[in-house]
Amino acid sequence: MRIIPSSCQGPAGPRLPRAGERESPPGGGPVTPPAATLGHMTSIDVQDLTKEYGTRRAVDHLTFRVLPGRVTGFLGPNGAGKSTTMRLVLGLDHPTSGSATVGGRAYTTLTRPLHRVGALLDARAAHGSRSGRDHLRVLAASHRIPDRRVDGVLEETGLGAVARDRVRTYSLGMCQRLGIAAALLGDPGVVLLDEPSNGLDPEGIVWIRALLRRLADEGRTVLVSSHLMNETAVFADHLVVLGRGRLLADTPMREFIDARVRPSVRIRTSDAAALRTALARHGHDPEEHPDGHWTVPGARVDDIGRLVSAAGVPILELTADEGTLEQAYLDLTAAETEFAAQPQEA
Ligand SMILES: Nc1ncnc2c1ncn2[C@@H]1O[C@H](COP(=O)(O)OP(=O)(O)OP(=O)(O)O)[C@@H](O)[C@H]1O
């Protein structure tokens, strides 16, 4: 969900159930314990989840689990169903079939939901005529959260200095920070963020990386959608990838890349003939590039370093190219991209 507002005003964002609206668990089940005692009860479970809008299937028999203690990156091309899945987890939409639960319970049945799940879906949700602080105070009051927590999350998200300014004067990055502050207000064990880096400046990007890492290290369940591959590669431990509403991958980050991108070694030399001869002698088939550097596909940097050194080849640069998340992601989703350019007709 990419959003480019000129202020935080815009269509009303999703309204989370208020404390007074809580429902008893179906069948009179146990009351939800406070966040501090949740432990293993914070996983998100998506089970055979399907959502159709008319004839359009946005989510298609999706099954995956998001576990605590790690940051899970939620990836997929435009229209893949990421936001719809998040909305279904948050009870903001009803599934056509299947289920999405948090700690084994549907979101709408949670007692003190803001203490269990914090979410940023739409940074424009805040009312522009209120100050950032008042926006959070209203939210806090409706969930019986003390005002001191409001000041805590304002400081934590770097909004302390602008807390009393009207939200309509906020930049997109400030709106994102306010949305994240709202998500953290109840100190929840589960955090869902839809493109939190959108609009953040470089300092904000570094800040969100550290925040996500801390939330995971504290044992929380963290699900973060993003279109920024380089960013996701930095903050995510695990990936869930969708394509056309279906699950394409549910795997640790490193395994995802290693399974799809063959590592190679990059070399620059002042003696190309000597390099080629030395590599060919050991069965390598290097590729020359227009800017003068060479790559050795499927090789390890230690092995190549040793053999070119033994052969006396002058080396200007020698680096391991381990493959990027972007390369692996594009390889996986190439056939899935809904809005990929159509082949031009002759
Ligand atoms: N309320 C709705 N009514 C009709 N169709 C919808 C609705 N919400 C989503 N869709 C459709 O469902 C599909 C999945 O959309 P969704 O927003 O979940 O994808 P996404 O992966 O979050 O995309 P993006 O990365 O562009 O934000 C799209 O085809 C979208 O047009």
Side-chain angles (χ1 to χ4, degrees), residues 1-2 53 56 58 76-84 195 227 338:
M1 187 185 293
R2 203 158 275 281
Y53 294 106
R56 176 159 211 106
N78 290 129
K82 304 178 296 294
S83 301
T84 302
E195 300 211 32
H227 285 110
E338 195 164 357

Side-chain angles (χ1 to χ4, degrees), residues 220-297:
R220 299 174 209 257
T221 300
V222 186
L223 181 65
V224 185
S225 81
S226 180
H227 285 110
L228 304 175
M229 291 302 132
N230 291 344
E231 254 321 283
T232 306
V234 174
F235 65 61
D237 309 300
H238 195 91
L239 294 177
V240 170
V241 187
L242 304 190
R244 296 175 196 254
R246 298 199 192 123
L247 187 71
L248 298 185
D250 178 0
T251 174
M253 165 82 71
R254 197 65 250 169
E255 283 177 26
F256 180 81
I257 297 171
D258 289 348
R260 287 169 185 84
V261 185
R262 209 170 157 216
S264 64
V265 175
R266 175 190 164 99
I267 309 181
R268 281 193 309 118
T269 178
S270 53
D271 188 344
L275 176 70
R276 206 171 15 219
T277 304
L279 290 172
R281 201 179 298 135
H282 290 82
H284 293 290
D285 187 14
E287 295 164 7
E288 186 173 12
H289 297 266
D291 68 353
H293 85 268
W294 294 75
T295 49
V296 191

Side-chain angles (χ1 to χ4, degrees), residues 110-293:
L110 295 177
T111 51
R112 307 177 79 216
L114 223 61
H115 295 267
R116 297 289 305 273
V117 186
L120 166 71
L121 290 193
D122 184 350
R124 295 169 300 182
H127 205 290
S129 62
R130 284 197 184 125
S131 70
R133 186 165 185 271
D134 282 347
H135 168 69
L136 294 177
R137 286 179 70 213
V138 169
L139 195 59
S142 63
H143 289 268
R144 298 180 199 151
I145 294 169
D147 268 5
R148 64 175 183 282
R149 178 71 190 152
V150 169
D151 294 321
V153 293
L154 282 166
E155 287 307 319
E156 191 176 352
T157 52
L159 290 175
V162 294
R164 289 167 202 277
D165 294 353
R166 284 180 199 272
V167 167
R168 70 161 65 99
T169 67
Y170 284 12
S171 67
L172 174 57
M174 289 153 94
C175 291
Q176 291 289 92
R177 286 172 184 261
L178 185 61
I180 293 166
L184 300 179
L185 200 55
D187 196 19
V190 178
V191 180
L192 285 86
L193 304 175
D194 199 358
E195 300 211 32
S197 308
N198 191 16
L200 292 182
D201 56 19
E203 186 260 333
I205 298 268
V206 172
W207 166 75
I208 193 113
R209 276 182 210 157
L211 175 72
L212 296 173
R213 175 55 36 218
R214 178 171 66 72
L215 293 172
D217 289 349
E218 289 169 352
R220 299 174 209 257
T221 300
V222 186
L223 181 65
V224 185
S225 81
S226 180
H227 285 110
L228 304 175
M229 291 302 132
N230 291 344
E231 254 321 283
T232 306
V234 174
F235 65 61
D237 309 300
H238 195 91
L239 294 177
V240 170
V241 187
L242 304 190
R244 296 175 196 254
R246 298 199 192 123
L247 187 71
L248 298 185
D250 178 0
T251 174
M253 165 82 71
R254 197 65 250 169
E255 283 177 26
F256 180 81
I257 297 171
D258 289 348
R260 287 169 185 84
V261 185
R262 209 170 157 216
S264 64
V265 175
R266 175 190 164 99
I267 309 181
R268 281 193 309 118
T269 178
S270 53
D271 188 344
L275 176 70
R276 206 171 15 219
T277 304
L279 290 172
R281 201 179 298 135
H282 290 82
H284 293 290
D285 187 14
E287 295 164 7
E288 186 173 12
H289 297 266
D291 68 353
H293 85 268

